Amino acid sequence: AQRVTQPEKLLSVFKGAPVELKCNYSYSGSPELFWYVQYSRQRLQLLLRHISRESIKGFTADLNKGETSFHLKKPFAQEEDSAMYYCALSNAGGTSYGKLTFGQGTILTVHP
Amino acid sequence: KAGVTQTPRYLIKTRGQQVTLSCSPISGHRSVSWYQQTPGQGLQFLFEYFSETQRNKGNFPGRFSGRQFSNSRSEMNVSTLELGDSALYLCASSVALSYNEQFFGPGTRLTVL
């Protein structure tokens, strides 16, 4: 069974401080990992995926297969980063393309 | 391109009734997935349709069903509604290629009284 764990429900930081949102997963196959974000009154949207190794809005995430983690990091948080963040997992190369398993989400609040 | 649309946006039903929710994917997207979002359980996968066939199914009772039409639009149906079915139902579409980037709709808020 696949499982995604986000240990922090709430995370508060001050503007300009580094931020790290934790995500751990359990999956026996080859996973694809994603971070989705939901800003206030907006729909859920993809922030980044591990396969592309890009930096979006200053956020990066590295897949660590040894520690089964995919933590989201940003060196200098901005107030507009305040949102709900979800880590999600999918099966890579299989037939489960349409299925994402989500963590419980972390509400990030960036204070001025 | 227009985004994923869902109708209706809000729905109030009573226990025992049934409900049908609709989802129109982004043009060209052939895969449609449905999720239930609740404060207690978070986002849970319901099922996924691709080319009018259910390709994946989550752990929900048989009261939850869906279908996909030839134009990729999808509907989900919940029969014999229970209070616990109150949730935000999200639909997502993807091109279903080698990776699984899904684009989400705004959701349908279902309240069961």
Side-chain angles (χ1 to χ4, degrees):
Chain A
Q2 53 199 56
R3 188 178 182 88
V4 177
T5 304
Q6 293 179 248
E8 304 132 332
K9 273 191 147 177
L10 302 169
L11 187 61
S12 288
V13 299
F14 285 99
K15 178 182 171 183
V19 63
E20 180 180 48
L21 290 86
K22 291 184 166 49
C23 172
N24 289 90
Y25 67 91
S26 63
Y27 185 62
S28 55
S30 181
E32 279 190 76
L33 275 296
F34 306 83
W35 277 98
Y36 279 82
V37 62
Q38 189 166 29
Y39 300 103
S40 179
R41 289 184 294 278
Q42 293 188 29
R43 61 184 68 187
L44 197 59
Q45 58 187 280
L46 179 68
L47 180 62
L48 55 79
R49 53 187 183 265
H50 90 270
I51 200 168
S52 63
R53 301 185 64 83
E54 343 174 70
S55 170
I56 306 292
K57 299 185 179 183
F59 284 98
T60 58
D62 288 318
L63 179 60
N64 186 323
K65 291 188 177 181
E67 295 183 359
T68 59
S69 68
F70 189 57
H71 303 327
L72 183 68
K73 300 177 185 179
K74 185 169 183 176
F76 308 103
Q78 303 299 315
E79 289 179 69
E80 55 265 30
D81 296 329
S82 296
M84 170 75 98
Y85 291 80
Y86 291 97
C87 182
L89 176 152
S90 177
N91 175 20
T95 57
S96 299
Y97 293 135
K99 178 181 178 180
L100 287 172
T101 298
F102 285 90
Q104 288 290 85
T106 298
I107 299 173
L108 173 65
T109 303
V110 181
H111 300 283
Chain B
K1 265 188 182 176
V4 177
T5 58
Q6 293 186 245
T7 57
R9 293 294 310 279
Y10 302 90
L11 210 46
I12 299 176
K13 292 286 187 180
T14 56
R15 278 180 299 174
Q17 287 187 309
Q18 75 164 16
V19 67
T20 299
L21 313 182
S22 181
C23 172
S24 292
I26 291 172
S27 177
H29 286 194
R30 298 169 64 192
S31 168
V32 173
S33 300
W34 289 89
Y35 296 86
Q36 182 195 65
Q37 186 175 28
T38 58
Q41 300 298 318
L43 278 155
Q44 292 187 287
F45 173 76
L46 279 155
F47 30 64
E48 182 236 359
Y49 286 85
F50 177 78
S51 292
E52 302 178 63
T53 301
Q54 186 182 88
R55 192 163 62 167
N56 287 292
K57 191 178 190 312
N59 296 324
F60 279 82
R63 300 185 297 108
F64 291 82
S65 63
R67 60 177 174 168
Q68 186 180 34
F69 302 95
S70 58
N71 62 357
S72 294
R73 190 176 70 84
S74 177
E75 290 181 346
M76 69 163 279
N77 184 276
V78 188
S79 63
T80 321
L81 283 166
E82 300 177 1
L83 295 179
D85 297 333
S86 294
L88 182 67
Y89 290 88
L90 294 173
C91 155
S93 73
S94 74
V95 294
L97 291 175
S98 57
Y99 60 85
N100 192 18
E101 179 174 353
Q102 295 189 16
F103 296 82
F104 283 81
T108 294
R109 172 74 62 186
L110 172 64
T111 302
V112 183
L113 302 175

